[in-house]
Amino acid sequence: MNLSMKWLGDYVNIDVPIKDYCHALTMSGSKVECYTEEGKDIKNVVVGKILSVVPHENSDHLVVCQVEVGKDAPVQIVTGASNVNAGDIVPVALDGSTLPNGVKIKKGKLRGVESNGMLCSLGELGLDKRDFPYAIEDGIFIMQEECTIGQDIQSAIGLNDISVEFEITSNRPDCLSVIGLARETAATYGIPLNVKAPEFKGVDGDINEMLSVSIHNTEKCRRYCAGIVKNVKIEPSPRWLRERLRASGVRPINNFVDITNYVMLEYGQPMHAFDLRYVEGAQINVRNAVKGEKIMTLDGVERELDENMLVIADEKKPVAVAGVMGGEYSGIMDDTTTVVFESAYFEPAQVRCTSKALKLKSDASSRYEKGVDRLISMTCLRRAFELVELLGAGEVLNTVIDCDYTDKTPAVVDFDSKWTNDFLGTDIPEEDMINYLDRLGFEVKDGKVIAPSFRIDIECKADIAEEIARIYGYNEIPSTDFRGIARAEYTEEQKFIRTLRNTAVSLGGYETATYSFVSPKYFEKIKLPENSRLRNAVKIMNPLGEDTSVMRTTSLPSILDVLSFNYNNRNEKACLFEIAKEYIPVSEEKPYINGDTLANSGEKKHKYEYSLPEEPQTLVIGMYGGNSDFYALKGMIEQIFSEMHIDGIEYIRAEESDEFDEKSAFHPGRSAVALKDGKALGIFGEIHPDVQENYGIGTKTYAAKLKIDELMNVSCSEIKYSPLPKFPAASRDLSLIVDDEVPAAELERAITKAVGKILEKVTLFDVYKGKQIADGKKSVSYSITMRSHEGTLTDEQADNAVKKALKALAAIGAEIRS
């Protein structure tokens, strides 16, 4: 619903900044989507008067105009328009001006003659002929408005309204109207609402002599009001009406069509106008359609009706689909002389069913199907007649037809201020509650709340409490816990996984999510051994297909699949991770016969006992491209261990561990298993070239799989404070010669064990192979930092510790490099 702020000013006197207004209405329950300021993108365009028009000296189709624009001297403008003459009032875009869509106007020369701006057409101002019917489409806009020379064009032609777009929920159809939103505005700000009852004079005449109305289905149509206007004059609507329709998102057409649209926007009640010439027999029958009956609707489509649809028919045929759209010959023509105005209440469900069945949506159907005020039909008819007289569009008969079968009993709800306060958790005085309800149009009487007819959504005390709460102010309601419900908190496992996820993201990973059901072919793609326990997967009884027929027992293929997708879509690099569950069967399926036989056969039915699989969670990481390599992945894993407070990690070659059958997917010399106290926490490394080829990845790929359950078991949940050291550290460097096959981690473990409790850290700072080193050997250098918390280490203590380390290193074949 688009609300014109100028139109709103007819009913409430409000002068606040538009942003404040939008915020206030949103907070009181009428959500604002956005607002649009008309003419905001037009700058430095003013009203000008053409003083003279002379031919261009170097062109047959250009003319040179001297234009008065309210400044000391006229400006010279060259134009190719043929409809300009001296004395014309026109829009002038001066040098440095801006037009819609960001068009900039600068002074320059046309065929050697200086031009200091541009004369504008309707289209260049973002308008068309429907906005100003007297103008021409393909020429300069010659203005007939009352304005002054030099005046901004926005104010001169009424292009200065603000349109506020509201999102109206389906339970509040009363807000699909200017008056409805004005009522909300008045209630929000606590200011008076000024809505006058429409009045018209009319001319003498008995409508019953010209028209008859019969409602044949009073369940689907509870009320039908009709009136007649004679001697109509079909012409454009006045500018004020066209402006309001335009700001509301409706294009003006002619005065009678505009009146029906105006009333619909103002009151929320759709209306229709018929040309009496095409109402055969001067009869209006509101009835169900006959099956197979057809009607040509206003959109030019012939539609077949059925007996469940309600139609407005004359003596012989349908002339409109009730509440949806009129027929082809029901509209207003240029030569129309007598008009029948219709204002009716149609049952919402039947309008929606008809609209859906015909695949036909209109502004009228969207309002009727949500529900309109059942008591407002006659008021809207009188408002239409008031506008007809105001516009001088015809002579209104002072008699009307009103077929009324409406139940006028209002909705009544018990009023209990104590219950409302308990329900909301507030302490609002009863007097204030009554005031809030009164501002919204409710009446509180004898312990009851009487809802107005336009509030079709009021059913219970909670609805009344909501009305009080939104006017009182949602921000004024204190925060309270739900009674009888424990406070929701993360479990320790959820906290752990949350930290794990955040850490992976902080290290540059992008989280992905894959299906838990996979193809058995995945086992072959990662070269899983034939006797691997991971090949024993849970089979899905009703799979979508073979590619999704088993539950995954390893999450590694899933991340490789995503890496493959990224690589084959030309992503130069990727670093992805997933918190993934695996499904490990704990027992075989055990079929047993229950004694029942299948119908029409002697076969026994089989039932199966299943043990639910274990569902260990894993963190699986995959990367390629960019700076991806074995050590980058190892650094990520070490940082994850650090963030999860897991220390004392050891690393061994993947082929030395039997914990992970997925090691077949890794390069045998470039993969490792992380251990904590002998328990395997995860595997990581470079993917085997054959596996990369199976996935169509043409670059080195790295992956890791960490067991989340094992990480939780060894994680230190309590962070212990360590004071700053009181005594200085002592450091020693060792350069060792060792066989090339001896891993650096084994040397580090030997040093750590030998030095003992005074060891602070061991840092590998160099690995060298070269001319000075024998074949099959390597030089490995460590920096050893030692510190005692009991006193300063002496050189003798430090040297003795290093001697112990050298002795331990010698046992595994390491010797001091000379």
Side-chain angles (χ1 to χ4, degrees), residues 512-518 552 555 558-559 561-562 578 580 620:
T512 185
T514 59
Y515 290 119
S516 299
F517 33 91
V518 297
R552 67 184 174 201
S555 52
S558 297
I559 201 71
D561 214 28
V562 180
E578 181 179 6
V620 59

Side-chain angles (χ1 to χ4, degrees), residues 455-479:
R455 290 304 301 272
I456 65 173
D457 58 317
I458 302 300
E459 297 179 352
C460 60
K461 290 193 291 185
D463 294 330
I464 299 301
E466 181 184 4
E467 298 303 303
I468 292 170
R470 66 190 186 89
I471 302 303
Y472 174 68
Y474 292 123
N475 287 338
E476 301 299 322
I477 299 176
S479 299

